[in-house]
Amino acid sequence: MGVVSYDCEITTPIPPAKMFKAAVLDADNLILKVLPQAIKSVEVLEGDGGPGTVKLITFGEGSQYKTMKQKVEALDKENFTYCYSIIEGDMLGTSFEKISNEVKITASPEGGSVCKNTSKYFTIGEVEITEEKIKAGKEKASEMFKAIEAHLLANPDAC
C-alpha cells in the first residue's frame, strides 16, 4: 500500500467561524441547497456528527459515482479543523483502500479566511495517480467551497 498526498488552498472573504459552520457543521444540509445536481442526499448511518460518525452520500444524476461512505475522524470546532475519510463507494474503485481529508480553516490577513485541505490517497498495490486526477479532485473541492461562499455572500444572515 502506498500513500499519495496533495494539498489545496482556497481563500474567501468569509470569516473562519462562519465558513467552518457552513462548510463543515452545516454542510450536509447546505450542500443539498447550493449544489443539488452534485449531491442527492446525505444520510447519517451512525453517530452524532462527531468522530466515529458514518455518513452515506448519494451523488446526483450527472455524477460518475453513485454513493460513498464517509467516516468522521476528528472535529475541532474551536480550531476549525475537520478530518474525514472516504471508506466505501465506487469512488474508491479497486485502486484505493480509503481517501482521507484534513480541512483547516484559518483567518487570512485580509479579514476573510483560508481553507487548507490535505488529501491522502491510500492505494491498493502500485497505483499511479496522474496530475489530471489530482487536478480534477482539486476542482471538485474548489467548486463546492465556492458554491458555499456564493450562498453566504448572497445570504449574509445564513449560518
Side-chain angles (χ1 to χ4, degrees):
M1 174 179 73
V3 179
V4 177
S5 297
Y6 77 80
D7 296 319
C8 179
E9 190 173 292
I10 302 167
T11 58
T12 177
I14 308 295
K18 188 170 192 169
M19 196 65 198
F20 188 78
K21 185 173 187 317
V24 175
L25 302 178
D26 295 342
D28 294 349
N29 296 315
L30 188 57
I31 203 69
L32 299 173
K33 291 179 189 174
V34 300
L35 286 173
Q37 71 283 6
I39 305 289
K40 187 176 180 179
S41 66
V42 178
E43 178 185 355
V44 175
L45 300 177
E46 58 185 77
D48 60 2
T53 297
V54 176
K55 302 175 187 179
L56 175 66
I57 290 92
T58 303
F59 293 99
E61 298 296 321
S63 177
Q64 62 182 344
Y65 304 115
K66 291 183 171 111
T67 62
M68 73 174 170
K69 280 187 184 175
Q70 283 184 354
K71 182 176 183 183
V72 177
E73 307 288 352
L75 177 64
D76 185 339
K77 296 175 185 177
E78 286 77 38
N79 293 303
F80 309 128
T81 59
Y82 176 60
C83 302
Y84 69 94
S85 295
I86 300 166
I87 56 171
E88 283 183 34
D90 48 355
M91 177 180 288
L92 297 176
T94 58
S95 301
F96 305 109
E97 178 184 319
K98 70 178 179 176
I99 302 169
S100 294
N101 292 281
E102 180 178 342
V103 178
K104 180 158 183 61
I105 300 176
T106 58
S108 71
E110 296 81 29
S113 55
V114 177
C115 177
K116 295 178 182 178
N117 182 59
T118 299
S119 297
K120 293 181 181 177
Y121 290 76
F122 293 81
T123 62
I124 298 171
E126 296 298 317
V127 175
E128 183 180 338
I129 301 175
T130 64
E131 283 295 319
E132 187 177 290
K133 285 184 181 179
I134 291 173
K135 184 179 176 189
K138 285 182 179 181
E139 286 174 359
K140 290 285 185 193
S142 179
E143 178 184 319
M144 184 183 82
F145 196 80
K146 290 299 182 182
I148 291 170
E149 174 190 79
H151 175 78
L152 293 175
L153 290 171
N155 302 281
D157 295 331
C159 296

